[in-house]
Amino acid sequence: MRILLASAGLALALASPALAADCGNTAAGFDSFIKSMEAEAIAKGVPEKSVRALDGIEYDPAIIKRDRAQNIFSDSFLDFQKKMISSYRLKQGQALVQKHKALFDRINKEFGVPAPVIVAFWALETDFGATTGDFDTIRALATLAWDCRRPEKFRPQLIAALDLLSKGDLRRDEFKGAWAGEIGQTQFMAYDYDESAVDYDGDGKRDLRNSIPDVLASTANLLRKHGWQPGEPWLQEVKVPAKLPWEEADIAIRHPRSQWSEWGVTQVNGSPIKGDGFPAALLLPMGRNGPAFLAYENFTSAYLKWNESLVYSTTAAYLATRIGGAPAVSPGRAPVEHLSYDQIRLLQQKLQDLGYDVGKVDGKIGAGTRAAVKDQQLKLGMPADSYPTEELIERVGTGSKKKAKPAATEESGQSTDEGSNLY
Ligand code: CA
């Protein structure tokens, strides 16, 4: 379950003229689109032989059906982690850390990424390689690249897949994976595979489908490229006091641990956290009454680049701490109401009407929605923990209004609420 990111290379590809090309939500027009992608690939220097892999590719409505059906990120963090962190994944994860200890030691020495972090992704993405998917990657990417929902994300991935094919790591018939184009045991998108996969068993091929050394080292290498800082923590569960300047609890805001300690943040068992100058953000995935974590730079950079969904990233980072020996998460101070998909959409619509940029009204709480919620909470004199409640929905719009933005921003069709967009 990877999310696509506009890294530097992709951003370059985004500037290509193909973006202006048509898109379609059916097979009509697909063949001429494929011809235009072939021309673009050739123009970008992809060898002709690989580009020919697009010849005769057919539109796959089953991929679009999958795409439209996904809504798992409407779960709250507590529900999602419960669903995703089975006792099997936990136990097997710990067993695999031991089984591959020598390999993980070598990887940690070279890339600085500890075993539990890698194993947690291995667990969540494919159950340690058991479910890598059987969709034809080129066909899946071509279908999603033609689809109108987010061609800007999949067109560069299609070109990257053709380029990857030319490298010879995988044969054409090995280009198989998840419906959204991810390949291998930790589900790399083609661009990341092409740029960041490494051959770690020395057979000359970067095989993320079958070689465990290649999979684990490549995962570490990708995290490192995302900004992983060796030797630093990523996530630590904490306990928050009943009162705190809640507006400081924001993954975009970091304070020294000493500051959090001063504000009353403690370890889960109530003992003090390290009161040093090490910077951390206070992450409250379900608001001030729910679970609480200190999120370090490795979380805000590496994890959120792996997947922009806050719920997924918090779950992956938390699972890594569990595999490393941390106890099960505390549910927090009080039961937290989790808004339904329709309630979140209603709130997003109200916020958009007030002029906030919440991206698409899609029922998913991303960075834009969180920021707007926080702004309204501050204006309404509510605790500004960025977590929406029914009370907020009722009161939104009754405070002072934010000046509306020019309509052009909203008509661009480009969501800026990136945290909410899976794929
Ligand atoms: Ca290899």
Side-chain angles (χ1 to χ4, degrees), residues 106 167-171 174 193 197-215 217-218:
R106 190 178 146 213
K167 307 281 174 68
D169 295 298
L170 299 174
R171 295 187 314 268
E174 291 174 320
Y193 199 131
V198 291
D199 170 26
Y200 217 59
D201 60 9
D203 72 347
K205 289 187 176 187
R206 303 175 298 165
D207 184 354
L208 301 189
R209 286 164 51 92
N210 304 301
S211 165
I212 287 175
D214 289 9
V215 167
S218 298

Side-chain angles (χ1 to χ4, degrees), residues 382-400:
M382 297 168 72
D385 63 359
S386 307
Y387 197 72
T389 56
E390 281 183 26
E391 185 196 353
L392 181 75
I393 296 181
E394 278 166 28
R395 293 183 60 188
V396 155
T398 60
S400 59

Side-chain angles (χ1 to χ4, degrees), residues 30-42 46-59 136-146 154-155 157-163 165 172 175:
F30 184 71
D31 290 349
S32 60
F33 164 69
I34 289 298
K35 286 204 173 63
S36 76
M37 288 305 290
E38 288 181 340
E40 185 182 333
I42 299 249
V46 178
E48 169 91 25
K49 195 174 166 235
S50 292
V51 175
R52 295 276 72 85
L54 280 177
D55 287 352
I57 280 282
E58 289 180 357
Y59 180 80
D136 177 59
T137 304
I138 304 278
R139 187 181 182 192
L141 288 175
T143 300
L144 291 162
W146 170 237
F154 286 101
R155 288 178 187 185
Q157 292 292 347
L158 181 57
I159 304 282
L162 297 173
D163 195 47
L165 181 58
R172 173 67 185 93
F175 264 65

